[in-house]
Amino acid sequence: MEEIIAKYSAYLAPVLAFAITYFSIPAIIRLSLVKKLYDQPDERKKHNARISPLGGMAIFGGMIISFVFCTAHLSNPALNSVLVGLFVLFITGVKDDLYPLVPYKKMLGQLLAVAVVVIQGDVRLVSFYGLFGVNELPYFISVALSIVFFLGIINSFNFIDGINGLSAGIGVVISVTYAVVFDYLHNDLFLILALCIVGSQLAFLRFNLVNAKIFMGDSGSMILGFLVALLSISFLQINELSEQFLLKKIDALVFAFAVMIIPVVDTIRVVFIRLFILRRSPFAADRNHIHHALLDIGLSHVQASLSLMAINVSFVVLAYFLNDYLRATYLFISLSLLALLLSQLPFIIKRQQKRLGIYKPSA
């Protein structure tokens, strides 16, 4: 039996993750209705139905059970630290979904989860590989930057989880990309992890993308952000040591940035607006996200999510095929400027609609 699982684990993992998540969600929806655990509408959330915010429980269960089951034959020094970090983050997220935490308490939970992985698991950014002239990082700077990186990606997925299907859809794009990468690098452990994420997110999208019946909540979005950060750093570490590397080290760093372009750029621009223009907390909710602007100019939730997923895929393809023609630093700058320009287009269209008197705020 163990030999069969080991041989077919990459095929079994996404199917098992999908099945566990898919069949868990209806039970969680019923539990939420019975216990009156609903997501409360506010000025940003326009839904009227009673919708459970506990989708993260199904996502976590499907992903973690399938991953542990399908990787029993594999080992990794950081694996125990990763599992501890995931459980800490999951508990923090569920607590916030049920009884909202003040931002600093939620950040403490995130910091504890990340510190375990970065310090004990030694999953960290060790070099910039020459990007902007920066190479190997001193240990303490490496630890500090890695913690900031993890926290940034975790909260970026928390930020973009504002419309149906967006966080899960972007998670699928990123995880499929890394599944292809880790398959090329012959790393079964992270290939299976990426596939487990894909399976659980696809199952969740069945209940969230069209006529949402459940939200992933903070427990789901924070876990997804944590895993995306983990896959990105692991890719850089594994690619660096692999004889059959995918991209040169500096090109791999730019590629990893392109893979996460949508949540990263949206978070950077929103935090900048909140801190330096609105003079408020970076965690203060508003409707300055790209996905909100897409809704405001007339797109549906499905159209907005699929559009941003397609853009994310386009940046991955651009980064991969342009790395032979542009130096990494120039490619990084070009991708950043292009992403910032595209992120402003919905807001430009919105202002134009207002000027012409055809603007209709999203319902």
Side-chain angles (χ1 to χ4, degrees), residues 194-262:
L195 290 173
C196 288
I197 299 169
V198 173
S200 62
Q201 297 303 313
L202 287 176
F204 173 75
L205 283 171
R206 164 63 181 81
F207 297 92
N208 176 256
L209 183 59
V210 180
N211 298 323
K213 299 177 179 64
I214 193 168
F215 298 145
M216 68 166 59
D218 279 10
S219 57
S221 62
M222 290 198 303
I223 286 170
L224 185 54
F226 175 91
L227 291 171
V228 166
L230 174 68
L231 290 176
S232 299
I233 293 180
S234 299
F235 159 60
L236 295 176
Q237 291 179 331
I238 294 165
N239 184 73
E240 179 181 10
L241 301 174
S242 176
E243 294 181 3
Q244 186 181 349
F245 60 85
L246 179 71
L247 295 163
K248 289 187 296 185
K249 298 170 186 177
I250 188 171
D251 295 323
L253 184 65
V254 176
F255 179 77
F257 166 71
V259 171
M260 302 178 291
I261 194 84
I262 293 296

Side-chain angles (χ1 to χ4, degrees), residues 164-177:
N164 298 345
L166 182 55
S167 280
I170 295 296
V172 168
V173 170
I174 293 173
S175 301
V176 167
T177 302

Side-chain angles (χ1 to χ4, degrees), residues 17 24 56 63 70 82 159 167 175 217-218 220 250 274 302 305 309 316:
S24 297
M63 186 279 300
C70 293
V82 169
F159 283 175
S167 280
S175 301
D218 279 10
I250 188 171
R274 290 173 183 173
V302 175
S305 293
M309 289 168 62
V316 172

Side-chain angles (χ1 to χ4, degrees), residues 11 35 43-44 67 86 92 101 118 146 154 165 180 186 213 268 289 292 312 340 356:
Y11 302 100
K35 298 297 182 180
E43 66 274 9
R44 294 180 308 118
F67 176 67
L86 276 171
T92 302
L101 297 169
V118 172
S146 299
I154 288 170
V180 173
H186 304 296
K213 299 177 179 64
I268 289 173
H289 291 282
H292 287 140
N312 206 140
L340 285 171
L356 296 174

Side-chain angles (χ1 to χ4, degrees), residues 78 81 116-124 126 139 143 233 237:
S81 300
V116 169
V117 175
V118 172
I119 297 172
Q120 185 186 46
D122 204 35
V123 179
R124 53 190 177 86
V126 296
Y139 177 76
V143 168
I233 293 180
Q237 291 179 331

Side-chain angles (χ1 to χ4, degrees), residues 62-288:
M63 186 279 300
I64 201 74
I65 293 171
S66 57
F67 176 67
V68 171
F69 181 76
C70 293
T71 57
H73 61 291
L74 301 172
S75 62
N76 184 288
L79 192 55
N80 289 339
S81 300
V82 169
L83 293 176
V84 170
L86 276 171
F87 275 100
V88 171
L89 208 55
F90 174 68
I91 293 168
T92 302
V94 170
K95 174 65 172 67
D96 190 57
D97 290 332
L98 295 175
Y99 305 100
L101 297 169
V102 294
Y104 85 88
K105 288 186 176 180
K106 185 161 66 172
M107 184 63 73
L108 284 176
Q110 295 175 2
L111 184 60
L112 177 59
V114 168
V116 169
V117 175
V118 172
I119 297 172
Q120 185 186 46
D122 204 35
V123 179
R124 53 190 177 86
L125 296 164
V126 296
S127 174
F128 280 2
Y129 308 110
L131 188 68
F132 300 117
V134 180
N135 287 287
E136 190 166 345
L137 301 169
Y139 177 76
F140 290 106
I141 293 178
S142 169
V143 168
L145 282 177
S146 299
I147 289 174
V148 170
F149 174 76
F150 264 99
L151 293 176
I153 302 301
I154 288 170
N155 284 289
S156 72
F157 272 85
N158 197 223
F159 283 175
I160 69 168
D161 187 32
I163 62 174
N164 298 345
L166 182 55
S167 280
I170 295 296
V172 168
V173 170
I174 293 173
S175 301
V176 167
T177 302
Y178 279 129
V180 173
V181 167
F182 287 121
D183 184 50
Y184 179 84
L185 295 173
H186 304 296
N187 188 285
D188 290 342
L189 184 74
F190 285 98
L191 166 63
I192 291 171
L193 177 59
L195 290 173
C196 288
I197 299 169
V198 173
S200 62
Q201 297 303 313
L202 287 176
F204 173 75
L205 283 171
R206 164 63 181 81
F207 297 92
N208 176 256
L209 183 59
V210 180
N211 298 323
K213 299 177 179 64
I214 193 168
F215 298 145
M216 68 166 59
D218 279 10
S219 57
S221 62
M222 290 198 303
I223 286 170
L224 185 54
F226 175 91
L227 291 171
V228 166
L230 174 68
L231 290 176
S232 299
I233 293 180
S234 299
F235 159 60
L236 295 176
Q237 291 179 331
I238 294 165
N239 184 73
E240 179 181 10
L241 301 174
S242 176
E243 294 181 3
Q244 186 181 349
F245 60 85
L246 179 71
L247 295 163
K248 289 187 296 185
K249 298 170 186 177
I250 188 171
D251 295 323
L253 184 65
V254 176
F255 179 77
F257 166 71
V259 171
M260 302 178 291
I261 194 84
I262 293 296
V264 168
V265 169
D266 185 59
T267 298
I268 289 173
R269 61 172 299 281
V270 166
V271 169
F272 179 85
I273 289 170
R274 290 173 183 173
L275 285 177
F276 300 105
I277 298 178
L278 300 178
R279 305 282 185 178
R280 57 196 297 190
S281 167
F283 297 103
D286 55 36
R287 289 183 61 83
N288 285 311

